[in-house]
């Protein structure tokens, strides 16, 4: 093997080693930079915050016996999943936007900001179309955010459509709705088990914060997960290497010599002459420039809203 090929192979090997070391350093750097404030507040174990409640009307839809059976099931599941579970049945009309706002606000008021839990808004107003909504908080966000549609599809097997309600009212579907609530609890258990090790990261629209699970710990932070930072750093390294290679190749092509490299070949013996030139110092000029300090505004930007970092989604039926 020629000496040139040996040097070229050694250069490639060294470049590969340097790249691997750079990846390792990037990963460690991303973890170090992840030491950020965590706003997550977990679950305090207070089962009294978990409830099933029907909006007060002249005649409640569910009997006291049914209501207590549902409350017991809700709190049993809350204990099992270690999160707050709130189910609210609405009987008077509310538009979609207010439905979502009410769900987030009532959850925060009862359970606290960025605690673990869900709020299920069940629309039984008789309006068409009905709009049900699930608000998630804390660890319920990565557990359920990508499963919201699947949960509602399950519930469609039990809950009457708006057209059915307009024809028959809600009364004939009492048992179906009750079974639908139990199906909702089963769905929470199923997807919590399925997604306990999820790496899904959600950015809250209300606060702009990131909600995710990392190494078994829930984070609600203003910073991306370390994996995201790592991927960005690696992408930057790869892009930098590509740019450097292109620039190097361009320079090598531009300055490639095709003629003799003997300097004597470029010197004209007939026209070459030496002239003795001297500089006489006359005076010195010094120029000074004033650079004013950069100014900055004393006012700060507006902060996040006072509410928690909610996920969730709605469904018309």
């Amino acid at each position: 093997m020629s000496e040139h090929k040996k040097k070229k192979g050694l250069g490639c090997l060294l470049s590969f080693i340097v790249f691997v070391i750079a990846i390792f350093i990037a990963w460690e750097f991303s973890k170090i930079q992840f030491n950020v404030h965590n706003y997550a507040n977990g679950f305090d174990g207070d089962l009294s915050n978990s409830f099933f409640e029907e909006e007060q009307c002249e005649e409640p839809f569910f009997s006291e016996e049914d209501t207590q059976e549902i409350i017991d099931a809700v709190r049993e599941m809350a204990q099992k999943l270690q999160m707050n579970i709130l189910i609210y049945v609405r009987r008077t009309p509310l538009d979609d936007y207010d439905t979502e706002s009410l769900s987030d606000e009532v959850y925060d008021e009862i359970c606290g900001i960025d605690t673990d839990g869900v709020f299920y808004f069940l629309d039984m107003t008789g309006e068409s179309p009905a709009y049900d909504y699930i608000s998630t908080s804390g660890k319920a966000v990565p557990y359920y955010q990508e499963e919201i549609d699947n949960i509602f599809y399950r519930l469609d097997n039990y809950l009457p459509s708006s057209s059915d309600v307009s024809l028959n009212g809600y009364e004939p579907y009492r048992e179906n709705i009750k079974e639908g609530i139990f199906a909702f609890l089963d769905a929470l258990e199923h997807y919590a088990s399925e997604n306990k090790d999820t790496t899904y990261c959600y950015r809250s629209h209300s606060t702009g914060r990131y909600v995710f699970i990392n190494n078994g710990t829930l984070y609600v932070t203003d910073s991306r997960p370390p994996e995201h930072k790592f991927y960005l750093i690696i992408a930057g390294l790869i892009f930098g290497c590509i740019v450097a290679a292109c620039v190097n190749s361009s320079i090598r092509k531009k300055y490639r010599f095709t003629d003799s490299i003997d300097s004597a070949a470029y010197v004209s013996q007939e026209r070459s002459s030496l002239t003795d030139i001297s500089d006489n110092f006359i005076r010195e000029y010094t120029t000074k420039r004033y650079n004013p300090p950069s100014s900055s505004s004393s006012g700060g930007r507006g902060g996040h809203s006072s509410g928690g970092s909610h996920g969730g989604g709605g469904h018309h039926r």
Side-chain angles (χ1 to χ4, degrees):
M1 182 183 294
S2 66
E3 188 68 22
H4 175 71
K5 289 185 177 180
K6 286 183 179 179
K7 289 183 178 180
K8 187 176 181 180
L10 180 60
C12 292
L13 178 60
L14 290 175
S15 298
F16 176 74
I17 293 174
V18 169
F19 186 72
V20 171
I21 293 174
I23 291 177
F24 175 76
I25 293 174
W27 173 243
E28 292 300 317
F29 177 78
S30 66
K31 290 194 293 184
I32 291 172
Q33 292 297 307
F34 188 60
N35 293 327
V36 294
H37 181 73
N38 187 2
Y39 296 92
N41 286 314
F43 174 66
D44 63 6
D46 186 358
L47 296 179
S48 64
N49 289 334
S50 296
F51 64 77
F52 167 77
E53 184 173 307
E54 184 180 342
E55 183 184 15
Q56 292 183 355
C57 292
E58 294 181 0
E59 293 186 11
F61 183 74
F62 291 101
S63 67
E64 291 185 7
E65 182 180 349
D66 286 339
T67 299
Q68 190 58 51
E69 183 182 358
I70 295 172
I71 291 174
D72 291 342
V74 165
R75 292 180 175 169
E76 181 181 350
M77 188 60 67
Q79 175 68 36
K80 184 179 295 186
L81 299 181
Q82 289 294 285
M83 67 170 66
N84 303 295
I85 301 176
L86 294 73
I87 301 177
Y88 175 66
V89 177
R90 181 79 178 186
R91 302 291 300 278
T92 56
L94 201 64
D95 64 36
D96 293 0
Y97 178 82
D98 288 336
T99 294
E100 296 172 9
S101 298
L102 181 143
S103 300
D104 292 347
E105 291 169 7
V106 171
Y107 178 89
D108 287 345
E109 181 180 345
I110 295 174
C111 303
I113 292 174
D114 291 326
T115 56
D116 298 334
V118 298
F119 184 98
Y120 177 30
F121 181 104
L122 178 56
D123 183 352
M124 290 180 55
T125 62
E127 294 291 297
S128 181
Y131 184 64
D132 302 327
Y133 189 77
I134 297 173
S135 172
T136 57
S137 175
K139 70 180 182 182
V141 176
Y143 279 3
Y144 305 124
Q145 189 59 38
E146 292 192 304
E147 311 292 353
I148 294 291
D149 288 340
N150 293 329
I151 293 174
F152 280 125
Y153 292 152
R154 285 189 176 206
L155 299 180
D156 282 343
N157 295 320
Y158 302 90
L159 304 181
S161 66
S162 296
S163 58
D164 291 334
V165 173
S166 63
L167 291 174
N168 308 309
Y170 275 107
E171 194 65 31
Y173 306 104
R174 188 188 308 275
E175 281 302 314
N176 294 46
I177 295 171
K178 180 181 172 182
E179 291 302 315
I181 293 172
F182 292 144
F184 170 73
L185 298 176
D186 290 340
L188 294 183
E189 182 179 22
H190 172 75
Y191 290 117
S193 175
E194 192 172 90
N195 296 322
K196 64 180 180 181
D197 297 320
T198 182
T199 57
Y200 174 76
C201 174
Y202 175 77
R203 189 173 189 185
S204 170
H205 298 294
S206 56
T207 65
R209 291 177 180 144
Y210 297 90
V211 187
F212 56 91
I213 296 172
N214 183 266
N215 293 327
T217 300
L218 174 75
Y219 288 92
V220 180
T221 76
D222 295 313
S223 180
R224 295 175 181 272
E227 291 84 358
H228 287 204
K229 291 184 176 182
F230 174 69
Y231 297 146
L232 290 173
I233 293 172
I234 293 303
L237 286 173
I238 294 174
F239 180 75
C241 290
I242 293 173
V243 171
C246 292
V247 171
N248 179 60
S249 175
S250 176
I251 292 174
R252 287 170 64 90
K253 288 180 180 179
K254 184 175 181 180
Y255 293 100
R256 183 177 297 164
F257 288 99
T258 57
D259 297 326
S260 172
I261 61 173
D262 184 1
S263 60
Y266 300 94
V267 178
S268 173
Q269 298 297 330
E270 296 178 355
R271 298 182 180 180
S272 297
S273 63
L274 297 176
T275 302
D276 186 13
I277 300 175
S278 62
D279 294 328
N280 295 321
F281 178 77
I282 298 176
R283 62 178 61 88
E284 178 183 6
Y285 292 96
T286 302
T287 302
K288 294 183 179 180
R289 291 184 174 87
Y290 173 66
N291 295 316
S294 60
S295 61
S296 60
S297 173
S298 60
R301 293 183 301 169
H304 295 298
S305 65
S306 60
S309 300
H310 289 277
H315 176 70
H316 290 102
R317 58 177 169 82

